[in-house]
Amino acid sequence: PGNVWSSLGSFGAVAAVIVFAALIVGLVLLWQQNRSMQNELARLATETNQLHAQLDRDHAMGDLLTSPDARMAKLAGTNIAPGAHAMLAYDKSGRAMLMAKGLPRAPEGMAYQLWFIKDNKKMPGKVFTPDSAGNGTMEDQIPDDARNAAVFAITLEPKAGVQAPTGSIYLVSSS
């Protein structure tokens, strides 16, 4: 009888070690799966935020385009960026949205800047950096002086923007 209990005790200890090892392996697998799910959740949250931002821009553009006093200016690529083009939508209050496509990638430390030109006076707009496909959007406020019969242009400038154009013109509207 003593040998039976001692052999059952040894078997129980071995079984307990195996169960403990299985629990540790299961715990490690669950931890890895949890980490993977957290990374996926973070990626999806970032993607959702980007989609919300795009949706907000689309709604703002729709509101601007459907306003009764909306105007559009088409900007065509110059010799530097012949495949590029842009549309600038704006209203009488000067609220404006630019949508550009096909711009070359901006070098490090550089960005594209919008210009409002009237009677040879160049007024700076905001800067923007297009995505890897050369597409960019931006909201700006057109100065009072440039709301009627202005020419719009886009140049490559330092990322912080400048008060007078220094770079070549990549896109320009007709006068």
Side-chain angles (χ1 to χ4, degrees):
N3 284 342
V4 171
W5 287 113
S6 66
S7 63
L8 283 176
S10 297
F11 176 74
V14 169
V17 167
I18 291 172
V19 168
F20 182 73
L23 287 173
I24 294 294
V25 168
L27 184 62
V28 168
L29 291 174
L30 284 173
W31 177 75
Q32 287 176 338
Q33 185 178 16
N34 182 35
R35 208 162 97 188
S36 174
M37 291 296 193
Q38 286 177 346
N39 290 340
E40 180 67 9
L41 185 60
R43 185 191 67 77
L44 289 172
T46 299
E47 188 176 313
T48 300
N49 289 339
Q50 291 171 343
L51 289 171
H52 279 290
Q54 180 63 44
L55 186 60
D56 289 344
R57 283 191 299 272
D58 291 348
H59 280 267
M61 179 56 74
D63 291 345
L64 181 61
L65 290 174
T66 57
S67 71
D69 56 349
R71 295 183 185 178
M72 296 287 288
K74 181 178 178 181
L75 287 77
T78 62
N79 293 338
I80 299 170
H85 61 278
M87 293 297 289
L88 181 73
Y90 60 100
D91 62 16
K92 69 179 179 182
S93 72
R95 182 177 59 138
M97 291 189 77
L98 175 80
M99 296 160 293
K101 292 197 175 286
L103 285 166
R105 173 171 252 163
E108 187 68 32
M110 303 292 280
Y112 289 97
Q113 186 166 1
L114 177 62
W115 296 94
F116 311 106
I117 306 166
K118 175 124 185 222
D119 299 329
N120 213 21
K121 179 182 176 188
K122 297 165 183 82
M123 296 164 269
K126 291 184 179 177
V127 295
F128 67 98
T129 304
D131 63 17
S132 60
N135 304 324
T137 59
M138 174 193 57
E139 292 184 48
D140 206 343
Q141 183 67 34
I142 299 176
D144 290 339
D145 297 348
R147 291 188 191 150
N148 295 313
V151 172
F152 306 104
I154 295 177
T155 61
L156 188 63
E157 304 293 349
K159 199 168 201 154
V162 292
Q163 291 301 307
T166 61
S168 300
I169 297 174
Y170 281 70
L171 292 164
V172 66
S173 68
S174 56
S175 49

